[in-house]
Amino acid sequence: MGWVGWIGNRTLKGIGECGRVSELLLDTVRWTLRRPVRFHLFVQQCLHVGVYSIPVVLITGAFTGMVLALQTASAFRLFGAESLVASVVSLSMARELGPVLTGLMVAGRVGSAMAAELGTMRVTEQIDALHTLATNPVQYLVVPRVWAGMIMLPCLVIFSDIIGIFGGRVVAVGVLGTSPATYFKRSVQYLDAADVGLGLLKAALFGLTLALVGCYQGYTVRGGAREVGFAVNRAVVVSIALILVLNYLVTAFFF
Amino acid sequence: MTTEQQSPENESALITVRDLWTRFDEFWIHREITFEVRPGESLVIIGGSGSGKSTLLRAMIGLLRPERGDVVVGGLDVMRSSEPALYELMRRVGVLFQFGALFDSLAVWENVTFGLQDRKLSDAERRRVASEKLKMVGLRGVEDLLPGQLSGGMKKRVALARAIAHDPEILFCDEPTSGLDPVMSDLISELILQMNERLGVTTVTITHDIATAYKIGDRIAMLYDGTILVCDTPDGIRATQDPIVRQFIEGRAHGPIRGEVAEETSTPGPGGRAG
């Protein structure tokens, strides 16, 4: 049967792919612990992953907070509970929307760039050249990117959370007429460290995922320009899908 | 490393390839390849496009693991060695890639001295070494340019400077003259020859350019149909009666070497290509 074979084939390919990504992750851990430590490469990647992503993260966070305030206000008004808008905004931003939206934006911005850069390096033999210059390509290319992803994403999420809550405040105070003092009080009233911690844990996981997937797709390119394009495409689609799946799994685990 | 990785036999040979078989999926690229390179020798491997020359070079520097056989370079069993041992070998080896493979995010001087990073040199010292090596390949004042700003010939020369920057014992060159004009080709060949003759570097050069092969080879091996067809001195190759080698060195379209042209029976016209 053709379609049974097709499903079997795809499944085997998928399992093989998971195996190879895990192998790259193990290699990354192994080569992190070995000398030499190239701290400047890590700093460089932190700039790309973190600092240069700040504008897009701020815009996403601000408008998400604002629309959340508007949408919840229209529902809460029915029960006369407008003052709880602030709590909904802060909880949603910290637990879900901050990490997920930041993860998605950075996957699109940085994961794709990693796949394109490593893929081009692969097809132009630059990765082979690293090997011949006694440099492990995983240590030189993948290790700094994965660590930058894992450390910078939580930092970005802190920005996103704060600007999201601030965006909600702009709408609540400006449009809905809540007093600034009430908004602030309600924002922090139901928000505890565990909520923020969960969001940051998710962010670190998403950062690891998008950097690892981006690097893997680029690192394993075979062929030329067309295949680099496919790799970038896969890097974005796979890491976004994985972020959403992992988000559910982590949430369910701590529920 | 451990003693089992050393090769006690063939002590005179610096590179030994024995009974090497490589395949891609179902297709055998190398079948029973055996040859040796002695210290200080210059071996040129010639062969048509797609004959597996570059793959053979990749097997010699540990970038790919053949199906079976032995590859011993500088006393190290390349196919079975650990990664650190392979990197230790790489410090004694220089590789010139076909398209240069320069790191395009690094300036020329950083490219040239990339292999010296573990020597704890200051930037000023690294720049000095870079300038010195660049001068050896006839380049000046390009230290701070990026590879994207260089011409094809300059890229190849920078790549050669990078390959020799750590004073390697063995130099592997993959198509060093392809895509260059005749003068530049000759210049690159000259540089490789100098490395071999003046500095005693053992060189293995992959090329399909027969002029380059004659110029720099102490011995020339021809790779055809997955095996080494002949391995002889340039004079021996010139005088050979083997019809395949003759066709290759004379560059004729017709002969025993299977061509792609004859198999295309119907060529679509200009109108037919549009769809």
Side-chain angles (χ1 to χ4, degrees):
Chain A
M1 290 283 271
W3 60 274
V4 175
W6 184 81
I7 291 173
N9 214 345
R10 300 297 298 197
T11 312
L12 284 180
K13 266 194 189 153
I15 294 172
E17 197 95 327
C18 290
R20 284 189 292 274
V21 174
S22 319
E23 212 173 312
L24 182 62
L25 179 61
L26 280 180
D27 260 3
T28 308
V29 174
R30 208 156 52 93
W31 282 102
T32 300
L33 305 172
R34 290 200 189 166
R35 296 171 74 83
V37 178
R38 295 185 177 85
F39 194 70
H40 67 285
L41 293 178
F42 168 71
V43 173
Q44 231 170 47
Q45 288 306 316
C46 284
L47 270 180
H48 285 293
V49 178
V51 178
Y52 299 154
S53 297
I54 290 176
V56 70
V57 166
L58 290 186
I59 292 171
T60 316
F63 281 93
T64 307
M66 286 162 76
V67 81
L68 255 180
L70 269 186
Q71 291 285 16
T72 48
S74 71
F76 282 10
R77 188 168 283 160
L78 300 175
F79 316 103
E82 285 110 319
S83 65
L84 284 177
V85 164
S87 312
V88 172
V89 171
S90 62
L91 271 176
S92 320
M93 284 308 296
R95 290 182 66 101
E96 288 296 327
L97 294 168
V100 171
L101 291 175
T102 304
L104 299 187
M105 295 309 285
V106 178
R109 211 192 78 84
V110 178
S112 57
M114 288 178 181
E117 189 180 2
L118 267 61
T120 308
M121 288 185 76
R122 171 62 80 188
V123 300
T124 55
E125 296 184 316
Q126 290 178 51
I127 292 184
D128 296 335
L130 280 175
H131 167 93
T132 65
L133 293 164
T135 304
N136 181 277
V138 170
Q139 190 182 34
Y140 190 80
L141 296 171
V142 183
V143 168
R145 283 171 174 76
V146 166
W147 279 103
M150 241 164 64
I151 289 169
M152 280 297 116
L153 255 271
C155 300
L156 287 171
V157 165
I158 292 173
F159 280 101
S160 173
D161 289 352
I162 292 172
I163 196 86
I165 292 169
F166 182 77
R169 178 191 182 277
V170 168
V171 169
V173 174
V175 182
L176 309 172
T178 315
S179 83
T182 315
Y183 186 88
F184 178 74
K185 200 178 122 197
R186 295 282 185 218
S187 285
V188 293
Q189 191 173 17
Y190 300 109
L191 188 71
D192 53 36
D195 297 313
V196 178
L198 176 70
L200 297 184
L201 174 76
K202 281 179 177 180
L205 195 61
F206 299 162
L208 168 73
T209 305
L210 69 91
L212 190 68
V213 171
C215 288
Y216 172 78
Q217 294 295 350
Y219 198 75
T220 53
V221 167
R222 291 280 176 278
R226 201 172 62 124
E227 283 75 14
V228 174
F230 290 153
V232 173
N233 193 336
R234 273 197 308 273
V236 174
V237 173
V238 171
S239 53
I240 285 179
L242 273 179
I243 284 173
L244 293 172
V245 172
L246 285 172
N247 181 50
Y248 176 78
L249 293 178
V250 174
T251 308
F253 185 79
F254 288 101
F255 190 68
Chain B
M1 289 307 289
T2 53
T3 43
E4 62 213 78
Q5 281 170 353
Q6 306 290 333
S7 163
E9 46 187 324
N10 301 312
E11 268 165 52
S12 60
L14 193 56
I15 302 170
T16 308
V17 174
R18 204 182 305 116
D19 191 25
L20 188 77
W21 295 66
T22 315
R23 72 170 177 191
F24 264 146
D25 298 328
E26 306 294 291
F27 182 69
W28 287 99
I29 298 171
H30 301 135
R31 290 175 290 130
E32 225 191 320
I33 289 196
T34 299
F35 64 87
E36 283 181 0
V37 186
R38 290 182 292 274
E41 191 182 24
S42 169
L43 177 76
V44 176
I45 300 171
I46 58 171
S49 307
S51 59
K53 306 185 297 286
S54 293
T55 315
L56 182 57
L57 187 140
R58 295 169 71 81
M60 283 190 270
I61 55 179
L63 276 173
L64 117 138
R65 306 260 154 147
E67 209 68 18
R68 59 175 238 229
D70 289 299
V71 178
V72 181
V73 177
L76 183 77
D77 181 345
V78 172
M79 280 167 62
R80 291 164 200 89
S81 72
S82 66
E83 257 174 306
L86 199 54
Y87 291 138
E88 213 42 62
L89 173 68
M90 286 301 132
R91 290 178 220 282
R92 298 161 51 197
V93 167
V95 182
L96 171 61
F97 285 89
Q98 183 172 2
F99 300 105
L102 297 174
F103 305 122
D104 35 37
S105 56
L106 300 181
V108 165
W109 73 271
E110 291 171 299
N111 262 289
V112 171
T113 55
F114 193 93
L116 307 176
Q117 283 178 343
D118 51 329
R119 292 194 194 168
K120 302 264 178 278
L121 299 176
S122 71
D123 274 6
E125 283 170 307
R126 282 179 63 194
R127 275 173 168 277
R128 194 187 50 73
V129 175
S131 300
E132 183 190 309
K133 299 294 172 182
L134 286 166
K135 217 166 85 187
M136 280 176 76
V137 298
L139 288 173
R140 267 169 226 270
V142 298
E143 286 83 349
D144 291 303
L145 297 179
L146 287 170
Q149 297 169 294
L150 304 174
S151 72
M154 286 161 92
K155 272 187 196 161
K156 273 242 159 99
R157 283 192 279 171
V158 172
L160 183 59
R162 181 177 72 180
I164 61 173
H166 50 292
D167 306 315
E169 284 168 54
I170 309 171
L171 179 64
F172 291 100
C173 302
D174 187 6
E175 299 282 7
T177 60
S178 73
L180 300 179
D181 67 64
V183 176
M184 189 60 74
S185 292
D186 197 57
L187 196 119
I188 298 270
S189 308
E190 197 83 41
L191 288 170
I192 296 171
L193 194 64
Q194 274 179 21
M195 292 299 301
N196 178 245
E197 289 183 344
R198 290 203 201 151
L199 304 177
V201 177
T202 307
T203 58
V204 177
T205 309
I206 305 282
T207 185
H208 59 252
D209 177 16
I210 194 71
T212 308
Y214 284 148
K215 189 176 176 100
I216 61 182
D218 291 331
R219 279 188 305 148
I220 300 174
M222 178 156 171
L223 197 58
Y224 179 74
D225 201 22
T227 55
I228 300 271
L229 196 61
V230 286
C231 185
D232 208 340
T233 59
D235 289 334
I237 294 283
R238 277 196 192 91
T240 185
Q241 290 309 310
D242 187 300
I244 294 171
V245 181
R246 284 236 69 84
Q247 185 194 345
F248 188 84
I249 60 178
E250 288 165 15
R252 285 181 282 110
H254 301 286
I257 297 178
R258 290 191 299 274
E260 307 279 316
V261 187
E263 287 162 22
E264 256 185 77
T265 43
S266 64
T267 313
R273 285 182 190 276

